[in-house]
Amino acid sequence: MNFLPDNIDKYVVAHSQKEPELLQQLNKETWQKVLNPRMLSGAFQGRVLSMISKLIQPTSILEIGTYTGYSALCLAEGIKKNGTLYTIDKNEELEGFAKKYFDKSNYQNQIKQFIGDALNIIPTLNHKFDLVFIDADKSNYVNYFNLIIDKMNPGGVILSDNVLWSGKIVEEINPKDTDTKILIEYNKLLNSDTRIETVLLPIRDGLTISRVK
């Protein structure tokens, strides 16, 4: 999922903020015990998420796709003291794994976990969001965007992960590859929707920043 040469990638990581100790533990345990650990945001992207959140200083954050809780903790680093981070995942088997690390963090009282289908849960959240991170099933990216766009505060930011999809978005598409088709549609949507302004960053597997006008 890295598009930079290894030596450049290592240099970038070496000259960026270091991964906090709690996240090092979470990172390690995810790789030891959880299936598909490559889904983890990872140290460098985690620092990017942390930096963006600190620049925004959000009061309300929504994360679609908790996994083991790594990205939620990175995003929480920038949240205001009276703020709340809502994180949704359909995998109930990982709920306890993530909660264990949430409880060890400084944000245990600010993170609210939801288990279930985000398409059903998001409409029940009567909140406006300053920051949204979309990192769940790719086939629903367009649906997630349509659900959250009217819940964004002006100037709010939507972060979308995996938008380069290991380069598949510029290759010949397998007719059965729904995820790639949807991601291509999604990238076009973010680039054309007049309610937002967007820049796609070639970080790891692609991270899009969309600012609500």
Side-chain angles (χ1 to χ4, degrees):
M1 295 196 298
N2 293 317
F3 295 95
L4 291 173
D6 284 346
N7 59 339
I8 298 296
D9 188 68
K10 290 177 181 177
Y11 184 90
V12 168
V13 171
H15 290 79
S16 297
Q17 184 188 32
K18 291 184 179 180
E19 184 181 33
E21 184 176 346
L22 180 63
L23 292 179
Q24 290 179 30
Q25 297 171 12
L26 172 50
N27 196 335
K28 182 178 180 180
E29 189 173 358
T30 298
W31 278 91
Q32 289 175 336
K33 299 180 179 179
V34 182
L35 292 174
N36 301 317
R38 70 196 297 267
M39 290 172 59
L40 196 76
S41 288
F44 175 67
Q45 184 171 334
R47 294 303 86 206
V48 173
L49 295 177
S50 170
M51 180 65 76
I52 292 172
S53 184
K54 287 173 180 175
L55 291 170
I56 296 170
Q57 296 185 324
T59 298
S60 186
I61 302 174
L62 172 63
E63 177 184 54
I64 306 171
T66 311
Y67 191 48
T68 57
Y70 190 98
S71 53
L73 288 172
C74 294
L75 293 167
E77 291 179 28
I79 200 168
K80 290 183 178 179
K81 290 184 178 180
N82 64 334
T84 304
L85 186 153
Y86 306 84
T87 182
I88 306 170
D89 203 286
K90 63 182 179 181
N91 189 348
E92 60 184 21
E93 294 181 2
L94 291 177
E95 180 182 10
F97 189 109
K99 188 177 187 303
K100 177 177 70 173
Y101 281 94
F102 293 161
D103 289 345
K104 289 181 180 181
S105 75
N106 296 325
Y107 316 103
Q108 58 178 311
N109 297 322
Q110 294 180 272
I111 299 177
K112 296 187 180 297
Q113 282 180 273
F114 294 86
I115 300 298
D117 189 337
L119 296 177
N120 296 326
I121 293 172
I122 293 170
T124 70
L125 301 177
N126 297 317
H127 306 285
K128 290 284 190 177
F129 298 104
D130 302 307
L131 178 60
V132 172
F133 183 43
I134 302 176
D135 186 18
D137 52 318
K138 312 312 164 191
S139 60
N140 274 310
Y141 266 35
V142 172
N143 294 329
Y144 293 143
F145 176 84
N146 289 330
L147 281 177
I148 59 100
I149 186 62
D150 290 330
K151 292 178 176 289
M152 300 298 300
N153 283 318
V157 170
I158 302 167
L159 302 175
S160 308
D161 199 16
N162 303 116
V163 290
L164 293 180
W165 207 224
S166 298
K168 292 180 182 178
I169 40 80
V170 292
E171 298 173 354
E172 185 175 349
I173 305 174
N174 184 324
K176 298 180 180 180
D177 187 352
T178 303
D179 286 345
T180 301
K181 289 180 181 178
I182 295 297
L183 280 173
I184 290 173
E185 178 186 348
Y186 182 70
N187 289 339
K188 289 179 180 177
L189 171 64
L190 294 187
N191 195 41
S192 60
D193 194 304
T194 57
R195 294 170 292 183
I196 57 176
E197 48 191 346
T198 291
V199 60
L200 196 164
L201 304 177
I203 293 173
R204 203 163 178 259
D205 197 29
L207 180 70
T208 297
I209 302 177
S210 302
R211 179 183 177 274
V212 179
K213 296 180 180 178

